[in-house]
Amino acid sequence: ICGSAGGGAGDRRGQPWGRRRKGSPGGVLVPRGVALLSPMEVTAATGSGGDGDPAFVSEARHPHRKRRMQTGNTEPPSSKRPDFPPVAGQHLLDGKEEIRKIPVPAHRYTPLKENWLKIFTPVVEHLQLQVRFNLKTRNVEIKTCKETQDIASLTKAADFVKAFVLGFQVEDALALIRLDDLFLETFDITDVKPLKGDHLSRAIGRIAGKGGKTKFTIENVTRTRIVLADSKVHILGSFQNIKMARTAICNLILGSPPSKVYGNIRAVASRAAERF
C-alpha cells in the first residue's frame, strides 16, 4: 500500500504503518511485521524462468510459522475406505432357502389352531413365505421360496408368530408386519427385585390391578401392549414407549402406589407428545 510521496512522519501518526525500510522505493510504507523481498528472492521463490507455480513464502522474521505451498494439483486425496453400492433385498437370497423355527408351548396349541387362518394369510399372501406347523417337533416353521422378494420378510414373520405365541392378540401382533419400528421386550419380575412366594404374587397383582385396570391404563397412556405370563412381562411397542411402560412396571414392582405411577407416566407421555 502506497502513501503520499512527500508525507512526513506526522502524516503517519496513528496509522498501522511502520517505518520505511532500507532499499524500499521512496514513499512506500511497509506494515509492521511484513518483510520485503528483494528481486532476487522473488525470482528464487517463483522459479528461475517465471514459469513455475507461485509460492507463499513465510516471513523471514517469523520462522515458526508453517510454510504453505500452493500447488497446481487441486484434486481431493483418494479415500482408502472401500465404497460399495447398496444391495437390494432380493439379491441377498442368492438362491438359498432360509428357515426360522418358533417353538410353541403346550398351552398355546389351542389358540394357534383356532387362529391359524389369521396367521397363515399375512405370512403367505403378503410376505410371500411358506409356513407350516410341525407336529413332531411342535414348532412353527417359516421358509423362503422363489416368490420371496425381501429377506427381511422372514424376520418380520418370525417376530409376528413369536408375539402370538407369547400371548398377544393376532391383531396386535400383526402390527409387527405392517410397521418397522415396533419391538418385543421380555423381562422377569425377579430381575427387578428378588421376590418369592406371596411377595411375588402381590407384585403381579399390583401390575395387573383390579380387573386389569392398572395394566390397561399403562397400555393406553404409553401406547403399548402388555402380557403378564406368570412372572414374565412381555411388552410390544416402539422403543420410546417400551421404555416408559417398563419404567412404570418397575416402579410398581418396587412398591410404588398406582396413583403415583399414573401421574409419572402421564407427565412423561405429555412431554414426549410435546417434543414430537
Side-chain angles (χ1 to χ4, degrees):
I1 301 174
C2 299
S4 61
D11 299 335
R12 298 192 303 272
R13 188 173 301 169
Q15 296 183 2
W17 310 115
R19 61 190 182 280
R20 280 196 185 87
R21 301 293 300 273
K22 291 183 179 180
S24 61
V28 178
L29 297 178
V30 183
R32 297 179 186 275
V34 176
L36 271 180
L37 298 180
S38 64
M40 295 182 64
E41 293 174 337
V42 173
T43 305
T46 57
S48 59
D51 298 334
D53 295 333
F56 292 93
V57 183
S58 60
E59 291 82 2
R61 292 195 175 187
H62 301 279
H64 62 278
R65 293 184 182 177
K66 293 183 179 180
R67 185 182 302 271
R68 298 177 299 170
M69 302 299 293
Q70 181 182 5
T71 60
N73 185 12
T74 57
E75 296 179 359
S78 59
S79 177
K80 295 183 179 180
R81 296 197 302 185
D83 185 14
F84 298 109
V87 181
Q90 59 266 21
H91 297 306
L92 295 176
L93 294 174
D94 197 19
K96 298 179 181 179
E97 292 183 351
E98 298 284 341
I99 189 171
R100 298 286 187 276
K101 297 180 181 180
I102 299 96
V104 181
H107 69 280
R108 296 299 291 174
Y109 292 160
T110 302
L112 183 67
K113 184 178 179 180
E114 293 175 351
N115 297 278
W116 179 251
L117 190 60
K118 296 180 181 179
I119 297 173
F120 173 87
T121 303
V123 173
V124 175
E125 294 184 359
H126 297 284
L127 299 180
Q128 306 296 327
L129 298 170
Q130 296 178 352
V131 60
R132 72 172 183 176
F133 179 65
N134 194 328
L135 294 174
K136 292 184 179 179
T137 60
R138 301 298 177 91
N139 291 334
V140 176
E141 299 178 355
I142 306 172
K143 188 175 66 172
T144 59
C145 59
K146 294 181 180 179
E147 290 78 12
T148 305
Q149 299 178 358
D150 191 359
I151 189 63
S153 302
L154 188 63
T155 304
K156 287 184 178 181
D159 291 342
F160 165 59
V161 176
K162 183 180 179 182
F164 176 79
V165 169
L166 290 177
F168 292 97
Q169 297 293 328
V170 179
E171 293 77 12
D172 297 334
L174 198 60
L176 287 168
I177 295 179
R178 296 178 177 174
L179 303 175
D180 293 332
D181 58 345
L182 293 185
F183 306 95
L184 275 172
E185 180 165 344
T186 302
F187 67 93
D188 201 306
I189 292 177
T190 56
D191 294 339
V192 181
K193 189 176 183 180
L195 301 173
K196 295 180 181 179
D198 293 340
H199 299 287
L200 180 61
S201 301
R202 282 192 288 270
I204 297 173
R206 283 198 300 273
I207 297 173
K210 185 177 181 180
K213 177 183 176 182
T214 304
K215 183 174 78 74
F216 292 148
T217 304
I218 296 175
E219 287 180 345
N220 293 333
V221 174
T222 61
R223 298 180 181 179
T224 57
R225 290 293 179 266
I226 300 172
V227 169
L228 291 175
D230 196 14
S231 63
K232 297 283 187 181
V233 179
H234 310 292
I235 307 176
L236 170 66
S238 64
F239 178 80
Q240 194 68 25
N241 295 341
I242 287 176
K243 182 180 178 181
M244 288 191 293
R246 184 179 64 241
T247 302
I249 293 173
C250 291
N251 289 336
L252 289 172
I253 294 172
L254 294 174
S256 296
S259 59
K260 184 176 181 180
V261 173
Y262 293 161
N264 291 339
I265 60 176
R266 284 198 176 96
V268 173
S270 63
R271 287 200 302 268
E274 290 176 359
R275 187 182 304 118
F276 290 107

